[in-house]
C-alpha cells in the first residue's frame, strides 16, 4: 500500500526568544529575531518520518503557508527527511480557518492517507488548525497525540491522547488527522549530508488562487499589549520567615 | 485576584440580587445591549456539571447584559438526566437545556459532537457558542467552527464586548485583543481560571425547560470512524489541579518519582493539588495530567509553591496568574525568582521536611 503522509509545518519565532511587544501595540517585534520550525511541527514531521521508515508509508510531503521565508522552514523539513515540499505563497495574515481550507485543497490534490500537524503554534497558541481541517475533510481526528500506532492492513490508527484527566486512547479509521503533543517523540537533527541533499529536493509552489480558496477575514487584531507586570517579590531567608509571610502578610495559609 | 475580591463583595452583599452584580472580569458592555442567545457546550460527570463548564456559563453571561443561555449536554443514562436538571437551575441566565441522549455520546468524541453543534446551530441560530478551554472544548469547538465556516477565538481570558476578546499569545508573554467581525455564530473557548464561578451560586429559583435533541439525522457513519478505546486517569480524590486553591509543583530538582511523595504530603497538608513541570513529567516522575504550562494545564490558585523549578517561559505561562507565588530553588539565578512573590534560595530536600513540620495543620 503506498500511503502518503502530509505534514503541515509553520515558521515561528524560536521558542527560546524573549519576545518584545512593539510600542505602537500593533504586534510582537519579529524583526531580527531568530525564527525556527514550530516545535510541535518538528514532532509532527518526525512522526511522519518514523512511520515511513517503518515501512508503513511511501512518501512524506511537507507543506508550509506564508511568505517566501517559509521556504527556509521547508528546507529544514527536507533536510530532516521529507521527500517533497509544497509552499503556498501568501504574504498577508493567515488565520487557522484559511490555513485549514488551504490544507484541505492540498489534501484533495495529494490524497494522503494521514495528515499530521503540531497541536498548536507557539506564536499564536491557537490550537485550532488540525481540528478545523479534520472537520472540513470529514476525517476523524486524534488531537494532542502522545503515541500513534498504525495498523496498515486494517487502515486504522490507534492514538493515545493527552487530556485533562490523563490519557485517552482512540481508534481512528484512515485517512485521519493527527495533531502532535510534546511527548510523542524527540525530533531528529538534520545531518549535514541530508542538508546538502535537501538543496536538490523539490519545493512546489501554489498560490491561493491555484487552490481556489477564498481567504476569509472575520477576525481583526485590535492591539497587542504586554501582560500586567507582577509586583516585585522578596527573598526570605528561612522557612520560619516564609511561613510568617504567607500567614501574616499574604494571608494564604 | 479577581476571584478573591469578588468573593469579598459577595459576602458583603449577600442579599444583593445577583443578576445586577457585574463581576470584575466582565468588562463594560455596550449599553446598546442586543439580547444575545448563546449556546454553551457543557461537560458533565457523575450527574454534575463540570466546574470548567460552569465557568463557560459565567463567561456566556458576560457577553451582554441581556443574555439567554442554552446549555447543551450529551451522553446517556441517569447521570445525564441528573446533570440536565442541575444545568436547568445552575444560573439565572440559563433559559434552556438541550440534551443529546444516545449511548453514542457516552465518550465525548469530536466528530459526533461537532456534527451535533452544527445541527443545533442550523436550527437555533445562536449569536454565540461558548465552551471551556478544556481538552473537550479545544478538541470539539474548532471542528464545529469549521463546519459552520467561522473563525473561532480560543483561550479567551477577557470579554471586553460581545465581539471583542483578549487572549494570550507567545505563551502569555503578550496579550492580543481581537475583534470578531464575521457572521453568527461567534465561537469562543474560555480559560476557566479567568472566569471563576462564585461560591454563592448564581442559581436560579426557576428550572429552565429541558428538551431532547432530535438525533434522527445522525447515521452510523457519523459514529463509526472514530472509536473510544480506553482512558487511564488519576485517582479523583486529589483536588482538581484546574481549580485548587493551593498548588504545589515539583520540577526536575525532585530527582525521582519517589521524592514526589514529599510534594504530595505537602499538598495534602495544605489541602492543595500537585503540579509538575514538563521536565518532571518527561523524566517519568509523575503522569502527564499534572503538567502545568503553556501546553499543559493553566492554573491560577491563591498559592503556588514551586520546588526545584527553574522557571522556563513555557512553565510560567501556566501559572503566572497565581495570586501568590513562592519559589524554592538551590540556584539563586533561576528565572522562577523573577516571578516569585517570596523566594527562598535553599535545598528543597531540607525545606520541604521543615515546612511539613512547621506548617499549621489545614482547618
Amino acid at each position: 500500500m503506498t500511503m502518503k503522509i502530509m505534514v503541515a509545518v509553520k515558521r515561528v519565532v524560536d521558542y527560546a526568544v524573549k519576545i518584545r511587544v512593539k510600542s505602537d501595540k500593533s504586534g510582537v517585534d519579529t524583526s531580527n529575531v531568530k525564527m525556527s520550525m514550530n516545535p510541535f511541527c518538528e514532532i509532527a514531521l518526525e512522526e511522519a518520518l518514523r512511520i515511513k521508515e517503518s515501512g508503513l508509508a511511501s512518501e512524506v510531503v511537507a507543506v508550509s503557508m506564508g511568505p517566501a521565508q517559509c521556504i527556509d522552514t521547508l528546507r529544514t523539513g527536507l533536510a530532516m527527511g521529507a521527500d517533497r515540499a509544497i509552499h503556498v505563497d501568501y504574504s498577508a495574515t493567515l488565520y487557522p480557518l484559511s490555513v485549514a481550507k488551504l490544507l484541505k485543497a492540498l489534501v484533495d490534490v495529494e490524497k494522503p492517507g494521514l495528515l499530521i500537524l503540531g497541536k498548536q503554534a507557539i506564536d499564536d497558541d491557537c490550537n485550532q488548525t488540525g481540528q478545523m481541517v479534520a472537520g472540513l475533510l470529514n476525517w476523524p481526528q486524534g488531537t494532542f497525540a502522545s503515541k500513534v500506532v498504525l495498523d496498515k492492513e486494517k487502515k486504522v490508527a490507534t492514538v493515545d491522547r493527552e487530556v485533562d484527566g490523563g490519557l485517552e486512547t482512540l481508534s481512528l479509521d484512515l485517512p485521519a488527522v493527527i495533531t502532535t503533543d510534546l511527548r510523542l517523540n524527540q525530533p531528529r537533527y538534520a545531518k549535514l549530508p541530508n542538508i546538502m541533499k535537501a538543496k536538490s529536493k523539490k519545493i512546489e509552489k501554489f498560490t491561493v488562487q491555484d487552490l481556489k480558496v477564498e481567504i476569509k477575514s472575520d477576525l481583526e487584531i485590535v492591539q497587542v499589549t504586554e501582560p500586567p507586570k507582577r509586583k516585585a517579590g522578596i527573598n526570605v531567608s528561612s522557612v520560619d520567615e516564609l511561613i510568617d509571610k504567607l500567614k501574616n502578610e499574604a494571608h494564604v495559609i | 485576584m479577581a476571584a478573591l475580591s469578588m468573593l469579598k463583595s459577595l459576602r458583603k452583599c449577600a442579599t444583593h440580587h445577583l443578576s445586577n452584580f457585574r463581576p470584575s472580569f466582565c468588562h463594560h458592555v455596550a449599553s446598546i445591549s442586543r439580547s444575545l442567545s448563546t449556546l454553551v457546550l457543557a461537560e458533565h460527570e457523575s450527574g454534575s456539571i463540570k466546574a470548567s463548564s460552569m465557568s463557560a456559563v459565567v463567561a456566556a453571561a458576560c457577553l451582554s447584559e441581556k443574555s439567554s443561555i442554552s446549555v447543551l449536554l450529551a451522553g446517556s443514562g441517569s447521570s445525564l438526566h441528573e446533570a440536565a436538571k442541575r444545568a436547568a437551575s445552575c444560573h439565572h441566565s440559563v433559559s434552556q437545556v438541550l440534551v443529546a441522549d444516545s449511548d453514542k455520546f457516552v465518550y465525548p468524541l469530536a466528530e459526533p459532537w461537532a456534527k451535533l453543534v452544527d445541527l443545533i446551530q442550523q436550527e437555533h441560530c445562536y449569536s454565540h457558542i461558548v465552551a471551556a478551554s478544556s481538552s473537550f472544548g479545544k478538541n470539539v469547538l474548532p471542528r464545529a467552527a469549521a463546519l459552520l465556516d467561522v473563525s473561532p477565538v480560543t483561550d479567551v481570558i477577557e470579554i471586553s464586548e460581545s465581539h471583542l476578546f483578549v487572549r494570550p499569545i507567545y505563551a502569555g508573554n503578550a496579550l492580543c485583543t481581537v475583534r470578531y467581525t464575521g457572521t453568527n455564530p461567534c465561537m469562543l473557548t474560555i480559560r476557566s481560571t479567568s472566569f471563576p464561578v462564585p461560591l454563592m451560586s448564581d442559581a436560579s429559583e426557576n428550572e429552565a425547560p429541558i428538551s431532547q435533541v432530535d438525533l434522527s439525522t445522525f447515521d452510523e457513519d457519523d459514529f463509526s470512524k472514530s472509536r473510544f478505546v480506553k482512558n487511564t486517569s488519576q485517582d479523583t480524590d486529589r483536588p482538581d489541579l484546574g481549580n485548587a486553591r493551593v498548588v504545589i509543583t515539583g520540577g526536575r530538582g525532585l530527582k525521582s518519582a519517589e521524592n514526589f511523595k514529599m510534594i504530595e504530603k505537602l499538598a495534602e497538608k495544605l489541602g492543595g493539588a500537585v503540579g509538575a513541570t514538563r521536565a518532571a513529567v518527561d523524566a517519568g516522575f509523575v503522569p502527564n495530567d499534572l503538567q502545568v504550562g503553556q501546553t499543559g494545564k493553566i492554573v491560577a490558585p491563591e498559592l503556588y509553591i514551586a520546588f526545584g523549578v527553574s522557571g522556563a517561559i513555557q512553565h510560567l505561562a501556566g501559572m503566572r496568574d497565581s495570586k501568590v507565588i513562592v519559589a524554592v530553588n538551590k540556584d539563586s539565578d533561576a528565572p522562577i525568582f523573577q516571578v516569585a512573590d517570596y523566594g527562598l534560595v535553599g535545598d528543597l530536600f531540607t525545606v520541604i521536611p521543615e515546612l511539613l513540620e512547621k506548617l499549621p495543620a489545614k482547618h
Side-chain angles (χ1 to χ4, degrees):
Chain A
M1 186 180 83
T2 52
M3 182 175 83
K4 197 186 297 187
I5 305 180
M6 184 180 282
V7 180
V9 298
K10 187 179 182 187
R11 181 172 178 265
V12 296
V13 172
D14 186 82
Y15 80 94
V17 166
K18 192 163 179 188
I19 55 114
R20 209 181 55 83
V21 172
K22 289 193 221 175
S23 48
D24 66 0
K25 298 187 186 172
S26 63
V28 161
D29 189 5
T30 56
S31 55
N32 300 317
V33 137
K34 183 179 178 199
M35 304 294 279
S36 301
M37 187 185 293
N38 182 42
F40 291 96
C41 300
E42 286 184 326
I43 293 172
L45 184 51
E46 175 63 33
E47 197 62 19
L49 295 171
R50 290 186 190 191
I51 294 172
K52 182 187 161 193
E53 284 156 6
S54 69
L56 296 172
S58 54
E59 194 184 19
V60 173
V61 182
V63 171
S64 197
M65 325 204 169
Q69 292 92 326
C70 286
I71 298 198
D72 296 337
T73 311
L74 289 171
R75 288 267 169 237
T76 304
L78 291 168
M80 280 172 70
D83 300 288
R84 267 192 302 127
I86 296 174
H87 172 219
V88 179
D89 193 4
Y90 192 79
S91 311
T93 314
L94 276 175
Y95 293 110
L97 180 58
S98 301
V99 174
K101 288 179 178 175
L102 290 166
L103 278 174
K104 175 183 184 295
L106 286 172
V107 165
D108 290 342
V109 168
E110 293 282 335
K111 300 190 188 347
L114 199 53
L115 173 60
I116 314 183
L117 301 88
K119 80 168 180 183
Q120 73 196 61
I122 61 167
D123 50 10
D124 57 28
D125 283 327
C126 281
N127 191 337
Q128 299 170 15
T129 308
Q131 295 84 309
M132 299 186 97
V133 66
L136 295 175
L137 289 167
N138 194 22
W139 285 10
Q141 65 190 56
T143 57
F144 332 139
S146 62
K147 187 168 160 193
V148 175
V149 176
L150 287 189
D151 181 330
K152 194 168 169 172
E153 251 178 65
K154 297 195 189 130
K155 296 181 79 169
V156 159
T158 301
V159 180
D160 285 359
R161 306 174 54 227
E162 297 209 3
V163 294
D164 291 337
L167 287 178
E168 177 187 271
T169 305
L170 298 182
S171 170
L172 310 176
D173 286 346
L174 298 181
V177 175
I178 290 175
T179 76
T180 64
D181 213 323
L182 286 177
R183 275 170 282 275
L184 178 58
N185 61 49
Q186 274 261 42
R188 67 196 63 187
Y189 291 107
K191 296 201 199 90
L192 191 55
N194 293 334
I195 296 174
M196 299 311 292
K197 267 193 238 165
K199 295 196 174 160
S200 56
K201 286 184 184 171
K202 193 173 159 205
I203 300 185
E204 212 176 325
K205 190 164 99 170
F206 283 89
T207 63
V208 160
Q209 289 78 10
D210 292 334
L211 297 172
K212 298 190 178 51
V213 169
E214 191 199 320
I215 303 296
K216 188 172 208 162
S217 67
D218 53 0
L219 291 176
E220 181 197 311
I221 305 230
V222 171
Q223 64 170 10
V224 172
T225 51
E226 277 187 15
K229 280 192 167 48
R230 285 186 83 93
K231 213 176 63 178
I234 59 162
N235 271 347
V236 294
S237 52
S238 67
V239 168
D240 291 319
E241 196 187 340
L242 176 63
I243 295 177
D244 173 55
K245 293 286 185 194
L246 289 178
K247 194 166 170 203
N248 302 314
E249 191 174 271
H251 307 293
V252 283
I253 58 167
Chain B
M1 227 180 61
L4 194 60
S5 59
M6 187 172 70
L7 288 175
K8 285 186 177 154
S9 304
L10 279 169
R11 281 187 199 120
K12 261 200 302 202
C13 355
T15 53
H16 187 103
H17 187 33
L18 280 163
S19 63
N20 292 333
F21 180 72
R22 289 221 73 81
S24 57
F25 47 78
C26 279
H27 284 246
H28 207 73
V29 165
S31 56
I32 307 168
S33 58
R34 279 170 290 161
S35 65
L36 302 178
S37 60
T38 303
L39 180 68
V40 171
L41 312 184
E43 296 176 83
H44 60 99
E45 190 173 49
S46 315
S48 297
I49 306 297
K50 281 198 183 175
S52 54
S53 300
M54 278 310 304
S55 285
V57 172
V58 166
C62 282
L63 289 165
S64 153
E65 296 203 358
K66 283 192 219 148
S67 277
S68 78
I69 299 174
S70 296
V71 176
L72 173 60
L73 294 164
S76 92
S78 58
S79 66
L80 170 68
H81 295 288
E82 238 186 276
K85 290 193 95 189
R86 293 234 169 95
S89 55
C90 73
H91 195 284
H92 59 267
S93 295
V94 172
S95 58
Q96 183 182 42
V97 175
L98 300 173
V99 170
D101 189 346
S102 161
D103 52 22
K104 299 280 204 273
F105 281 105
V106 167
Y107 300 105
L109 295 173
E111 300 82 5
W113 253 96
K115 175 158 177 169
L116 178 66
V117 173
D118 185 18
L119 187 75
I120 290 172
Q121 178 60 18
Q122 307 285 2
E123 192 188 323
H124 295 252
C125 303
Y126 294 100
S127 63
H128 289 74
I129 301 180
V130 179
S133 187
S134 59
S135 310
F136 162 79
K138 289 189 280 205
N139 194 30
V140 170
L141 191 127
R143 185 181 177 115
L147 299 182
L148 292 164
D149 197 25
V150 299
S151 292
V153 182
T154 50
D155 212 23
V156 168
I157 60 170
E158 193 181 295
I159 293 175
S160 308
E161 288 171 18
S162 63
H163 291 76
L164 188 63
F165 312 106
V166 180
R167 59 181 301 277
I169 56 174
Y170 287 93
N173 287 299
L175 297 181
C176 182
T177 301
V178 54
R179 187 187 305 279
Y180 178 71
T181 57
T183 54
N184 285 352
C186 171
M187 297 181 68
L188 37 147
T189 63
I190 56 96
R191 230 185 226 198
S192 319
T193 50
S194 300
F195 296 92
V197 180
L199 276 185
M200 259 185 70
S201 76
D202 277 314
S204 173
E205 293 284 296
N206 307 317
E207 233 188 64
I210 300 173
S211 18
Q212 300 289 319
V213 176
D214 176 5
L215 300 171
S216 58
T217 55
F218 274 78
D219 55 39
E220 267 313 300
D221 214 38
D222 294 313
F223 296 108
S224 65
K225 289 195 267 187
S226 160
R227 295 160 296 278
F228 173 86
V229 175
K230 67 177 195 279
N231 60 27
T232 43
S233 44
Q234 57 152 342
D235 53 88
T236 45
D237 46 284
R238 270 199 208 126
D240 179 36
L241 187 50
N243 2 326
R245 192 190 76 87
V246 175
V247 174
I248 315 289
T249 286
R252 200 199 303 262
L254 267 298
K255 300 201 175 117
S256 74
E258 185 62 32
N259 290 336
F260 248 85
K261 295 211 170 97
M262 291 193 309
I263 299 275
E264 281 170 38
K265 270 201 208 143
L266 188 55
E268 210 184 286
K269 182 128 199 206
L270 290 168
V274 175
T277 62
R278 177 193 171 176
V281 175
D282 283 356
F285 300 163
V286 282
N288 67 288
D289 54 314
L290 266 51
Q291 181 173 322
V292 171
Q294 178 186 19
T295 68
K297 294 225 167 41
I298 309 289
V299 302
E302 298 239 330
L303 174 60
Y304 189 89
I305 311 184
F307 291 98
V309 171
S310 64
I313 299 173
Q314 294 79 12
H315 182 74
L316 299 187
M319 42 66 79
R320 59 195 294 156
D321 291 334
S322 305
K323 182 168 173 274
V324 175
I325 297 174
V326 175
V328 177
N329 196 308
K330 262 198 300 200
D331 176 10
S332 57
D333 290 327
I336 190 89
F337 288 116
Q338 287 164 35
V339 295
D341 297 294
Y342 303 108
L344 176 54
V345 180
D347 186 349
L348 63 96
F349 291 105
T350 51
V351 171
I352 298 182
E354 201 181 332
L355 276 170
L356 282 168
E357 189 200 335
K358 292 180 173 173
L359 273 171
K362 177 170 89 85
H363 301 301

